[in-house]
Amino acid sequence: DDDDDHDARDGRESQQHLAQVNAFMVMMSVAHTVSIEKASATLANEDGSSDGAGATAGAGAGAAADVGDGDGDGDGHGDDAESKQPVYQAESPDELALVRAAAATGFAFVKRTRDAVSIQTPGPRRRLDQSGISPSCFHILAVNEFTSTRKRQSIVVRCPDGVIRLMCKGADSHILPRSSGTPPDAVRALNGQLAVFARQGLRTLVY
């Protein structure tokens, strides 16, 4: 009986951890100003242009960066992936890296309209619900842009389940003090990870 209770507890903790990881990856693929320069064969920006980010959020700082398919030859064209994967464009190299990392784990940003962002998630593609809204579509209700004073970017979205959520990312010095609901042990662990990344000279953002 004790073993059964232990297994059940481990199962619940595993599911909770998986849900937290999924939520984190969704935020990486939704909360950004990246646009799609070249759509996949089946998905495109609503108006067919590459400036979808400007309708929902201001551009970040830095030089514009284009992303190919990641085949390593630098020409932005893959052997057979060219028609399957979108080509991303961003003025913020940091956001570009985050969106690419999310896509590499299966949470791919695939479409932006003036008021929504769509992503693909791991697993079989879900059907449209009764309202005709794709479960992977996040409707953008408000955007607070990143500034040197705020040191964070926030967006308010209506998620596929109908729940309205705030997604925020930024400097740890401005995010952690606002995460009052986070367990102290988790904050200590995160600070330890941030210290390791800092010693390695890596740039970090906290969600």
Side-chain angles (χ1 to χ4, degrees):
D1 291 342
D2 290 342
D3 289 342
D4 291 341
D5 291 342
H6 185 269
D7 291 343
R9 185 170 57 254
D10 286 348
R12 289 192 297 270
E13 292 176 352
S14 177
Q15 289 297 320
Q16 182 180 17
H17 179 68
L18 178 60
Q20 292 171 341
V21 171
N22 284 342
F24 175 71
M25 300 308 300
V26 166
M27 284 191 290
M28 284 181 61
S29 59
V30 171
H32 56 78
T33 62
V34 175
S35 62
I36 296 178
E37 179 180 282
K38 180 179 180 181
S40 66
T42 56
L43 294 165
N45 284 335
E46 184 179 57
D47 59 1
S49 66
S50 62
D51 60 355
T56 56
D66 296 336
V67 178
D69 49 50
D71 64 350
D73 59 10
D75 62 1
H77 301 284
D79 296 334
D80 59 359
E82 180 181 359
S83 63
K84 299 178 181 179
Q85 299 297 329
V87 177
Y88 299 132
Q89 183 182 44
E91 293 193 13
S92 167
D94 293 340
E95 286 203 320
L96 189 55
L98 291 168
V99 171
R100 289 195 69 187
T105 61
F107 293 80
F109 161 52
V110 294
K111 183 179 180 181
R112 183 188 293 279
T113 66
R114 288 181 174 81
D115 59 359
V117 168
S118 294
I119 65 172
Q120 288 179 346
T121 56
R125 184 173 299 184
R126 302 181 182 90
R127 295 183 179 180
L128 298 181
D129 61 19
Q130 293 180 351
S131 66
I133 300 175
S134 170
S136 62
C137 182
F138 293 77
H139 289 269
I140 300 173
L141 305 179
V143 177
N144 289 326
E145 301 176 7
F146 182 94
T147 68
S148 58
T149 301
R150 296 184 71 245
K151 296 188 183 301
R152 62 190 183 278
Q153 178 207 43
S154 306
I155 68 170
V156 180
V157 298
R158 179 178 288 109
C159 298
D161 57 8
V163 176
I164 295 176
R165 291 184 172 90
L166 170 68
M167 298 182 179
C168 186
K169 72 174 185 287
D172 58 281
S173 59
H174 283 62
I175 297 296
L176 293 180
R178 293 170 170 80
S179 57
S180 57
T182 305
D185 289 346
V187 174
R188 283 193 292 269
L190 178 57
N191 280 324
Q193 293 170 344
L194 291 171
V196 171
F197 294 149
R199 287 195 294 271
Q200 296 174 350
L202 299 176
R203 296 168 58 85
T204 59
L205 285 173
V206 175
Y207 284 75

